[in-house]
Amino acid sequence: MADILNAHAQNFGDRPAVIDDRPDGNVLTITYAELDDYTNQLGHLLVGHGVKPGDRVVWCGQNSIGVAAVMSAARKIGATAVPLNYRLSDDEAAYVIDHCDAEIVYVDADFAPMLERVRESIPKIREVLVFDGELPASDSWFVSVDGEISTMPTSSPPEPPAETADGATMIYTSGTTGKPKGAFRQRATDPTQMLAMLEHIGYRLDDTYLTTGPLYHSGPAGFMSIAVTMGQTVVVQRKFNAEDWLRLVDKYRCSSTFSAPTPIRMICNLPDETIANYDVSSMRVMIANAAPWSFALKQQYLSHFPAHSLFEVYGSTELGVNTILRPEDQLRKPGSCGKPSPMVEIRLYDDDGNIVDGIGPEHTGELFVRSPSVFSDYYKQNDKFMEDHRDGFQTVGDIAYIDDEGFIYICDRKKDMIISGGMNIYPAEIEAALEQHPGVLEAAVFGIPSEDWGEIVHAVVVQNGTTEVTEEVLDQHARTHLASYKIPRSVSWTDELPKTGSGKILKRELRQPYWDEFNSAI
């Protein structure tokens, strides 16, 4: 089967593939013919540095042509692309790099110093390939992609064996037990399912996709990959800025994007006169996801953007896109995430493992999914995969109900996950970090409501009485172990945590006072 980029290069090679337009006036544009050549060169470079079919390649960087290119280059040589969240702490980043068994890291120059800092913790890494800038040190461990890429051939790299996974990816998600899990996806999205979803939403070949949020997230990257597969133009915003986002929509007549609620809230909270300076009438497909959009935010969005543009999807890194709420139902079905996406089967199970057949909020169950887009396994953690598996269906622990028209409502989480600003956070890793402080006996972490972020991280702490602990002390301690978005934004103190007879902390009891005014617990 011909490579999709090669086909695009032959059919419309002069069409802009990726545009990197930065606020400082620096604009880089690469056509489909140039992108095909560049990804071939990058594929040859990776092979030349020992990457074989099936190997993992970690990549890290803010949104750029270089990041977009490595995803296609890895696919062309049969390697598994592993995005690394650049907001992780050094310890967290080192764990992901080491756990995935990669030997090569591809990183932009801004984040290359982090690799130097964690070098002793990632002994499997043979070389670090640095792009878009200078090397952090004159050391053979660091290799300049910018210096080598022009010497590589533009012909297609060696074709991987047929049995090699096509388009394999592995994205690390926060772990319920304190360590991230590598969600391994064996192959690219099933083409029949993808086509059905694209038709259902109404994508067009002439759409222009704008990134809203970092490409290490499965959502922004996944929908950008759809745009590339269709041969659309992709505009990458290196780092999100609300007014600059409006500038890009206006300048390039951007017609589709994918966004968590927080960036859109920042855009809609700009002064009306600022928003009015930009023409946003080109926006046709706004995919709302990564966390629930509140009804108020949807109303804000629709007051500035075309009414037909707002779609909402429910999904996850592990399960792909599971439901779609169409524009005509956004205000008619508040709180719903829509109906099942094409080729997706959904079941609800109660705590006893029985299928829930009832209708309405009194008949809730854990939501399980079966579809061609469900991931393959957790890397080296099949037991975690099987814990969430039932009768060929998979779950990420969300609790839902279905109404009399077949619309699905996510109302709670069986697991303790927090979604803050579109970022998935598991309390276990935060609790483990807090409890390393000598003054903390134990801690319980959970999400509480936030107008700006959806949820924020709150910690309830029991002191052991041996070392003085303040909120400021805990904050500084946490920052040495955790990414900034995982740091508790508020702390309360107690002499004892409520527990079951078996010693399990009653998180629901701790959370309840914060969520009493809401119709759901997320």
Side-chain angles (χ1 to χ4, degrees):
M1 181 177 176
D3 180 79
I4 190 67
L5 279 185
N6 182 257
H8 291 342
Q10 297 197 26
N11 293 328
F12 37 80
D14 292 337
R15 179 181 298 171
V18 185
I19 301 172
D20 184 352
D21 184 332
R22 302 182 185 180
D24 61 6
N26 187 19
V27 181
L28 301 173
T29 301
I30 189 168
T31 67
Y32 270 102
E34 292 167 338
L35 182 61
D36 185 47
D37 285 347
Y38 187 81
T39 54
N40 286 343
Q41 289 179 306
L42 185 52
H44 281 290
L45 189 150
L46 292 171
V47 170
H49 284 274
V51 178
K52 303 180 296 298
D55 284 357
R56 270 70 60 196
V57 174
V58 172
W59 63 262
C60 180
Q62 290 186 325
N63 298 352
S64 67
I65 290 174
V67 162
V70 75
M71 299 181 194
S72 291
R75 172 180 51 77
K76 286 187 175 190
I77 65 173
T80 299
V82 184
L84 180 66
N85 179 347
Y86 51 75
R87 296 179 64 189
L88 297 180
S89 70
D90 287 359
D91 288 347
E92 292 169 321
Y95 175 83
V96 170
I97 295 169
D98 190 64
H99 184 269
C100 78
D101 296 322
E103 297 182 4
I104 295 289
V105 177
Y106 173 89
V107 61
D108 79 21
D110 287 351
F111 298 101
M114 179 270 292
L115 276 299
E116 179 65 34
R117 295 196 300 271
V118 302
R119 187 168 182 169
E120 297 302 316
S121 301
I122 50 174
K124 300 168 193 168
I125 298 301
R126 294 184 288 102
E127 290 177 312
V128 176
L129 310 184
V130 182
F131 68 99
D132 281 0
E134 300 296 323
L135 302 181
S138 55
D139 182 328
S140 60
W141 197 55
F142 292 102
V143 176
S144 173
V145 173
D146 302 344
E148 287 194 8
I149 195 76
S150 62
T151 67
M152 297 292 121
T154 58
S155 59
S156 296
E159 189 171 326
E163 65 272 14
T164 301
D166 175 24
T169 60
M170 188 154 68
I171 300 177
Y172 275 76
T173 65
S174 294
T176 55
T177 57
K179 292 294 185 183
K181 303 190 297 294
F184 177 65
R185 192 175 298 281
Q186 181 78 10
R187 298 195 177 277
T189 303
D190 179 86
T192 304
Q193 183 183 24
M194 180 190 290
L195 180 60
M197 185 184 75
L198 299 182
E199 291 178 343
H200 183 74
I201 293 175
Y203 281 107
R204 300 193 312 225
L205 296 178
D206 62 351
D207 278 327
T208 297
Y209 179 82
L210 172 61
T211 61
T212 308
L215 292 172
Y216 59 70
H217 274 312
S218 58
F223 279 85
M224 184 194 73
S225 295
I226 288 173
V228 171
T229 299
M230 295 185 70
Q232 299 171 354
T233 294
V234 173
V235 178
V236 294
Q237 185 180 34
R238 182 168 178 81
K239 186 176 181 180
F240 180 77
N241 173 275
E243 187 169 357
D244 185 58
W245 187 93
L246 290 171
R247 176 185 71 86
L248 294 173
V249 172
D250 186 348
K251 180 175 179 179
Y252 295 103
R253 310 303 298 143
C254 295
S255 55
S256 76
T257 191
F258 169 104
S259 181
T262 301
I264 300 303
R265 183 175 290 108
M266 292 177 178
I267 293 164
C268 291
N269 284 344
L270 290 170
D272 287 345
E273 57 269 26
T274 300
I275 300 175
N277 288 332
Y278 302 95
D279 182 0
V280 297
S281 62
S282 59
M283 186 58 64
R284 290 195 327 104
V285 179
M286 165 63 72
I287 302 292
N289 186 246
W293 282 35
S294 69
F295 190 72
L297 178 58
K298 290 181 179 183
Q299 291 176 310
Q300 268 191 293
Y301 172 85
L302 293 172
S303 70
H304 297 291
F305 291 84
H308 63 267
S309 65
L310 184 57
F311 291 77
E312 183 169 8
V313 302
Y314 162 75
S316 61
T317 297
E318 291 93 335
L319 306 183
V321 174
N322 305 142
T323 70
I324 300 174
L325 185 67
R326 296 184 56 81
E328 60 268 24
D329 297 314
Q330 293 295 335
L331 302 183
R332 189 176 74 89
K333 290 288 185 178
S336 174
C337 58
K339 292 184 175 182
S341 183
M343 298 179 63
V344 172
E345 299 175 73
I346 289 178
R347 282 184 186 173
L348 304 184
Y349 285 91
D350 64 20
D351 290 339
D352 296 322
N354 301 311
I355 296 175
V356 177
D357 292 322
I359 299 299
E362 65 275 17
H363 298 285
T364 63
E366 187 172 2
L367 187 146
F368 281 73
V369 171
R370 181 166 65 188
S371 86
S373 60
V374 170
F375 77 128
S376 307
D377 203 351
Y378 286 121
Y379 185 61
K380 298 192 293 191
Q381 293 177 286
N382 178 255
D383 58 326
K384 303 299 182 186
F385 177 84
M386 295 309 299
E387 283 177 12
D388 296 333
H389 188 85
R390 179 171 292 165
D391 303 329
F393 287 70
Q394 203 74 21
T395 185
V396 291
D398 287 330
I399 306 299
Y401 67 88
I402 303 174
D403 74 7
D404 58 354
E405 294 183 64
F407 285 83
I408 295 169
Y409 297 74
I410 307 298
C411 56
D412 203 350
R413 298 192 189 101
K414 186 174 183 179
K415 299 180 180 179
D416 290 335
M417 187 176 73
I418 302 165
I419 301 181
S420 182
M423 303 292 287
N424 291 351
I425 302 167
Y426 272 99
E429 56 185 323
I430 304 172
E431 291 162 354
L434 296 179
E435 289 170 3
Q436 290 181 42
H437 190 281
V440 174
L441 178 63
E442 57 182 345
V445 172
F446 49 90
I448 62 175
S450 164
E451 179 63 30
D452 291 331
W453 302 101
E455 295 176 271
I456 57 172
V457 179
H458 179 78
V460 179
V461 176
V462 178
Q463 300 188 52
N464 67 11
T466 61
T467 304
E468 182 181 1
V469 186
T470 64
E471 189 166 345
E472 292 73 23
V473 168
L474 270 189
D475 182 82
Q476 289 302 312
H477 170 76
R479 289 182 186 279
T480 65
H481 298 280
L482 299 166
S484 60
Y485 62 88
K486 300 176 185 177
I487 306 300
R489 295 297 185 262
S490 58
V491 177
S492 56
W493 312 88
T494 186
D495 293 333
E496 186 177 4
L497 294 174
K499 296 177 182 177
T500 66
S502 60
K504 181 178 176 64
I505 296 173
L506 292 167
K507 290 269 186 86
R508 190 178 298 271
E509 185 174 313
L510 291 170
R511 294 169 65 212
Q512 189 61 45
Y514 298 94
W515 291 93
D516 274 343
E517 298 178 8
F518 295 81
N519 293 325
S520 70
I522 56 174

